[in-house]
Amino acid sequence: MTDDRELVREAYRLAEAAAVAAGVSVRMAEPGDMSAVIGLFERTWGVGRSPDRSFLLALDYAGNTVLIATADSRPVGAALGFLGWSDGIHLHSHMAAVVPWQRSGGVGYAIKLFQRALCLEHGVADMRWTFDPLIRRNAHFNLVKLGAEAVRFLPDFYGQLDDAISGSDRSDRFEVRWDLSSPRVINALTGVKPPEWTALGEYALAPDFEQLRVDDLDAASAMRVESRVVFTDAFLLGLRPELNAINDYVLTSDAPNGIPREA
């Protein structure tokens, strides 16, 4: 029990340090914040793409994580996560949004660490979410900075979204698992560099896939089709995507902590 309490205290300490570094305050949203949360989600994905106010209120009342980040009392970030039980109790972190002028400034990191602390406080040791595997900065954030592990490839998971981010692109996703108290995660959150993975395959990412999608939709579509084959085959072979030093994928059979598996 003492170790659990210490883990929670340290989780909140890391979350607070991340918030201070980003110049924000992160907290559970209150009923009066829901319009701001909806505004943040719609600024990111488009009008009508946020859960409505009543649904957010119900999720919040039931004890899920509806979070808001503020800077100088102004909303700059929000996140929504809800409990699931597929393959064990976990928090599914479904939406996270940051205003454009605060992106890459640590706000998303501070929100994620606050989510982690809340989960650990309530005895939930596992968080999961999905992300587009072709967006390099998200891959780095999830797999390296947070220490999450890609556990499944989900081709066209949401169908055609037609939102402000994806447009007509297909919604291929990696599902990641964030094992909140694992050595892999603790190492990532304390700045330990990931290991040099044993590469049994490689896949080079576009420097900026989102910009490629704007500039050359045909090239982006071709990359989507190619990557779908690569990732499907990799998971069928028991390989896992990790990132190398230049943030391209390596496909490895190493254990998530970097130890090569015995043949």
Side-chain angles (χ1 to χ4, degrees):
M1 183 64 70
T2 301
D3 289 344
D4 290 344
R5 288 198 297 266
E6 181 57 35
L7 180 65
V8 171
R9 281 196 295 269
E10 177 63 10
Y12 275 111
R13 188 194 69 77
L14 288 173
E16 178 61 22
V20 169
V24 297
S25 175
V26 184
R27 57 177 172 79
M28 292 286 290
E30 299 174 354
D33 297 315
M34 295 308 170
S35 293
V37 170
I38 291 169
L40 287 160
F41 288 159
E42 291 192 338
R43 176 188 287 273
T44 300
W45 286 284
V47 175
R49 297 290 177 167
S50 171
D52 65 25
R53 185 175 185 275
S54 63
F55 189 40
L56 289 173
L57 285 169
L59 288 169
D60 183 58
Y61 183 76
N64 294 282
T65 59
V66 184
L67 308 182
I68 190 165
T70 59
D72 297 324
S73 300
R74 298 182 62 185
V76 295
L80 166 63
F82 45 83
L83 289 175
W85 57 64
S86 297
D87 300 320
I89 297 295
H90 62 280
L91 184 87
H92 182 84
S93 184
H94 181 54
M95 302 178 81
V98 176
V99 292
W101 57 90
Q102 290 276 12
R103 291 172 190 165
S104 302
V107 178
Y109 184 63
I111 290 172
K112 234 14 174 217
L113 292 197
F114 188 74
Q115 256 185 332
R116 173 178 179 264
L118 283 171
C119 284
L120 289 171
E121 182 181 10
H122 290 87
V124 178
D126 183 7
M127 279 179 60
R128 303 176 202 170
W129 60 91
T130 66
F131 78 95
D132 187 336
L134 296 186
I135 299 179
R136 182 188 292 264
R137 74 174 189 280
N138 288 353
H140 177 83
F141 179 75
N142 291 322
L143 304 184
V144 178
K145 192 170 181 67
L146 294 178
E149 176 193 351
V151 295
R152 191 171 288 111
F153 177 58
L154 304 168
D156 208 18
F157 183 57
Y158 296 108
Q160 189 168 316
L161 290 167
D162 290 320
D163 62 20
I165 293 178
S166 302
S168 62
D169 192 14
R170 309 311 298 187
S171 58
D172 293 356
R173 295 292 186 266
F174 281 159
E175 180 184 3
V176 296
R177 181 186 179 197
W178 204 23
D179 186 355
L180 300 181
S181 59
S182 70
R184 175 184 171 110
V185 170
I186 299 299
N187 284 343
L189 299 185
T190 54
V192 177
K193 290 184 178 181
E196 184 174 334
W197 304 101
T198 304
L200 301 180
E202 298 178 347
Y203 188 80
L205 289 168
D208 187 340
F209 181 76
E210 290 170 298
Q211 191 60 48
L212 178 65
R213 196 160 49 193
V214 172
D215 296 339
D216 190 341
L217 182 57
D218 288 342
S221 297
M223 188 173 187
R224 178 70 69 191
V225 171
E226 175 191 66
S227 67
R228 182 177 293 182
V229 173
V230 171
F231 298 143
T232 297
D233 289 349
F235 277 95
L236 285 173
L237 292 170
L239 302 180
R240 186 185 69 259
E242 297 284 1
L243 292 180
N244 61 19
I246 59 172
N247 286 327
D248 285 328
Y249 285 117
V250 295
L251 306 172
T252 185
S253 63
D254 292 349
N257 62 4
I259 298 173
R261 297 188 189 277
E262 296 181 0

